Amino acid sequence: MLVFILSPRRMRKSLRFFLRFHFLFLFFFTTLAPKVVQAFTGTYGINYGRIANNIPSPDEVATLLRAAKIKNVRIYDADHSVLQAFSGTGLEIVVGLPNGYLKDMSANESRAMSWVKENVQSFLPGTKIVGIAVGNEVLGGDDYELWGALLGAVRNVYNSIKKLHLTDIVQITTAHSQAVFDKSYPPSSCIFRDNVAQYMKPLLDFFSQIGSPFCLNAYPFLAYMGDPENIDINYALFLSTQGIDDSNTNLHYDNMLDAQIDAAYAALEDAGFRKMEVIVTETGWASQGDDNEAAATVDNARTYNYNLRKRLAKKKGTPLRPKNVVKVYIFAIFNENLKPGPTSERNFGLFKPDGGIAYDIGYHGLKSSSADSLQKNFMRSIWKKIRRRAALNIITQRRTHFINCYQFHIWQTASHTSSHHAFLFFDRMIFLHLYIIKCLRHHTSTSKFFIFFSMNLFILSLKRQ
């Protein structure tokens, strides 16, 4: 066996070389890639509204969503029965702090802490709570007192999760309606309303500091209903149409949702927040309405939601922000029979109260003729996970074998140096040795490349001595 005998001077030289390289590695690759919490995986999510007395239980809803492979879910409160039902499912949920809590949370940080502990921290990590939506459509709404309370509530909730060391897990947001905008046609001309801007800009400034997106509830359905004579319904439904051209940017829009998103980007840029991401937290199309809601039909609802799914599957951005992949939460899982307002408000669901599909866009309901195939698909997905886990175990065993070999090599190198300095050398190397093992147990190819590279350099330095 080849053994390297090092003098004390050469040992110190090799160790300095090794330390310098790892310092450069740590400096560049930890500062260039800070961890930013993301509350949205993929492009497609759904809102779970429960203003109804005839919808399935939370446990059945969890089964439905997993079978449909819908991972991102938003609720409008922090109902414990829902959070318990979602525990261990892998579903990523954004809980809501209702508007009625905002004044109290804004005035009392201890109340915010209590709410976070009771409704978020106590369910982690079993339930994957990835975000808190503080209020909904507050700015631009009718209650002006809430406008002033929103930022204080957001700050106190964020400070609470910060003190609980949850900022790497839970993202803080609030959703806005299009009532915050002054004008949105063409998209590039959109700005925030004057009376909203004085509250919006401090809020956006805080969100930019903590890395939160701008959340928008965007409804081409409502826009079309408000001006059916001047808006082509095909433009609202993602169907073939002439679309519109924005003369200020020379950009073409072939659907209204893209235009609504880019209008929000334009308003953010005008306010000085060009880099902030826009996420659509609500959009949908009613399948039934009153006599004056002629566009609320099953065919239109099916067309909108089916074409939206196809558009999101492409994972592309908008004309103004082509690199920002569009992310959308559909409204909603179920029709909600207790919601007030026009008939359309109670008919945005993709599923009926009994769990069957309201119309076909590729999903299967809980109670339908395809229930057996749904169960088979669910079991098939479980077997895929088992096979992937088995493959991962094989890879892990191989990696562990390499790590053990490396541990043996370090021990042999240390024990065969001059007897006087052997254990001093080993003592100095043990910290770096443990750090390397920790990095090797991660799956990122970049970190493994640089660890292997540094190890080889170190071994070469020994040989050259």
Side-chain angles (χ1 to χ4, degrees):
M1 180 172 59
L2 183 62
V3 177
F4 303 107
I5 307 300
L6 299 182
S7 67
R9 181 182 62 82
R10 289 175 176 174
M11 270 194 296
R12 287 195 296 270
K13 185 176 180 181
S14 296
L15 189 58
R16 282 197 300 270
F17 178 84
F18 193 59
L19 285 169
R20 286 171 183 169
F21 182 84
H22 272 282
F23 173 79
L24 292 173
F25 172 77
L26 288 171
F27 178 79
F28 284 105
F29 289 91
T30 58
T31 57
L32 291 179
K35 184 175 181 180
V36 178
V37 59
Q38 294 288 339
F40 199 117
T41 303
T43 63
Y44 194 90
I46 201 162
N47 287 276
Y48 178 17
R50 305 187 319 282
I51 307 178
N53 59 8
N54 59 355
I55 59 178
S57 68
D59 292 293
E60 292 177 299
V61 173
T63 300
L64 173 64
L65 293 175
R66 293 180 71 182
K69 298 181 180 180
I70 300 176
K71 189 174 185 178
N72 304 289
V73 188
R74 294 178 80 244
I75 60 175
Y76 294 90
D77 53 20
D79 185 87
H80 288 193
S81 65
V82 175
L83 299 180
Q84 290 168 356
F86 281 26
S87 178
T89 63
L91 298 171
E92 298 182 356
I93 185 169
V94 175
V95 299
L97 178 67
N99 292 354
Y101 288 79
L102 296 184
K103 294 178 185 178
D104 191 24
M105 298 294 175
S106 179
N108 195 331
E109 186 172 350
S110 63
R111 292 296 297 273
M113 175 63 80
S114 298
W115 190 91
V116 171
K117 285 183 176 180
E118 179 182 351
N119 298 288
V120 178
Q121 186 187 40
S122 62
F123 290 94
L124 295 171
T127 304
K128 295 187 69 174
I129 300 175
V130 297
I132 302 173
V134 182
N136 185 50
E137 298 187 347
V138 174
L139 300 184
D142 296 330
D143 192 337
Y144 293 99
E145 290 186 8
L146 292 183
W147 293 25
L150 179 59
L151 178 57
V154 167
R155 285 185 184 275
N156 285 341
V157 171
Y158 177 78
N159 289 337
S160 297
I161 69 166
K162 186 176 182 180
K163 290 177 181 178
L164 296 172
H165 307 290
L166 299 176
T167 52
D168 289 341
I169 303 172
V170 181
Q171 185 181 72
I172 307 300
T173 59
T174 188
H176 304 285
S177 73
Q178 292 189 305
V180 300
F181 301 131
D182 188 16
K183 50 185 176 180
S184 57
Y185 183 84
S188 62
S189 68
C190 187
I191 58 175
F192 291 111
R193 285 169 42 190
D194 288 338
N195 63 334
V196 170
Q198 59 180 312
Y199 297 96
M200 181 66 78
K201 289 184 179 180
L203 181 66
L204 295 177
D205 184 60
F206 183 70
F207 278 161
S208 67
Q209 294 175 31
I210 65 175
S212 293
F214 181 86
C215 294
L216 175 68
N217 296 342
Y219 285 92
F221 167 74
L222 297 178
Y224 173 77
M225 292 289 294
D227 192 11
E229 294 181 358
N230 296 311
I231 297 177
D232 181 1
I233 193 169
N234 291 337
Y235 178 61
L237 293 173
F238 298 96
L239 295 174
S240 179
T241 179
Q242 291 184 347
I244 67 166
D245 293 304
D246 190 326
S247 59
N248 297 326
T249 58
N250 293 322
L251 295 174
H252 178 76
Y253 292 88
D254 58 12
N255 70 83
M256 185 182 290
L257 184 64
D258 279 3
Q260 290 178 330
I261 295 171
D262 276 355
Y265 275 122
L268 288 170
E269 185 170 355
D270 178 75
F273 300 93
R274 187 182 187 281
K275 295 183 179 180
M276 186 170 288
E277 181 186 18
V278 174
I279 292 179
V280 177
T281 40
E282 285 185 22
T283 191
W285 199 285
S287 59
Q288 185 178 345
D290 295 322
D291 292 340
N292 62 342
E293 298 177 308
T297 67
V298 171
D299 285 341
N300 286 341
R302 181 193 300 112
T303 300
Y304 181 81
N305 284 295
Y306 177 75
N307 288 336
L308 176 58
R309 280 194 71 194
K310 288 200 304 182
R311 189 252 181 271
L312 296 174
K314 296 177 181 178
K315 297 183 178 180
K316 67 176 186 178
T318 61
L320 186 62
R321 294 286 189 273
K323 294 183 179 180
N324 290 9
V325 176
V326 174
K327 302 173 182 178
V328 169
Y329 287 92
I330 305 301
F331 187 84
I333 301 180
F334 300 110
N335 293 331
E336 299 173 77
N337 66 330
L338 299 182
K339 289 194 74 172
T343 300
S344 60
E345 284 291 318
R346 294 180 286 280
N347 289 279
F348 275 89
L350 300 183
F351 299 91
K352 294 178 181 179
D354 64 356
I357 57 173
Y359 41 82
D360 186 10
I361 61 168
Y363 293 130
H364 299 292
L366 285 173
K367 298 178 181 179
S368 67
S369 58
S370 57
D372 291 338
S373 63
L374 185 152
Q375 183 68 17
K376 290 179 181 177
N377 290 336
F378 180 72
M379 292 304 297
R380 190 178 294 115
S381 68
I382 294 296
W383 278 112
K384 285 182 180 179
K385 290 180 180 179
I386 292 173
R387 288 196 296 269
R388 285 199 299 267
R389 181 62 58 86
L392 180 60
N393 287 339
I394 294 172
I395 295 171
T396 302
Q397 290 171 5
R398 291 175 179 173
R399 189 172 64 249
T400 302
H401 174 70
F402 172 81
I403 291 170
N404 291 336
C405 291
Y406 176 65
Q407 290 174 320
F408 178 78
H409 172 76
I410 287 291
W411 174 257
Q412 290 292 330
T413 302
S415 60
H416 286 86
T417 57
S418 61
S419 58
H420 179 71
H421 297 282
F423 289 98
L424 175 62
F425 178 84
F426 185 80
D427 182 64
R428 291 181 178 180
M429 286 300 302
I430 193 65
F431 174 78
L432 294 173
H433 156 65
L434 292 174
Y435 169 73
I436 289 171
I437 292 173
K438 180 180 178 181
C439 291
L440 285 171
R441 286 190 172 124
H442 288 77
H443 293 275
T444 54
S445 58
T446 303
S447 63
K448 281 198 285 188
F449 170 79
F450 281 97
I451 292 299
F452 280 117
F453 184 57
S454 63
M455 286 167 52
N456 289 331
L457 284 179
F458 176 64
I459 294 170
L460 284 174
S461 70
L462 293 177
K463 292 180 178 180
R464 292 173 65 181
Q465 303 301 322

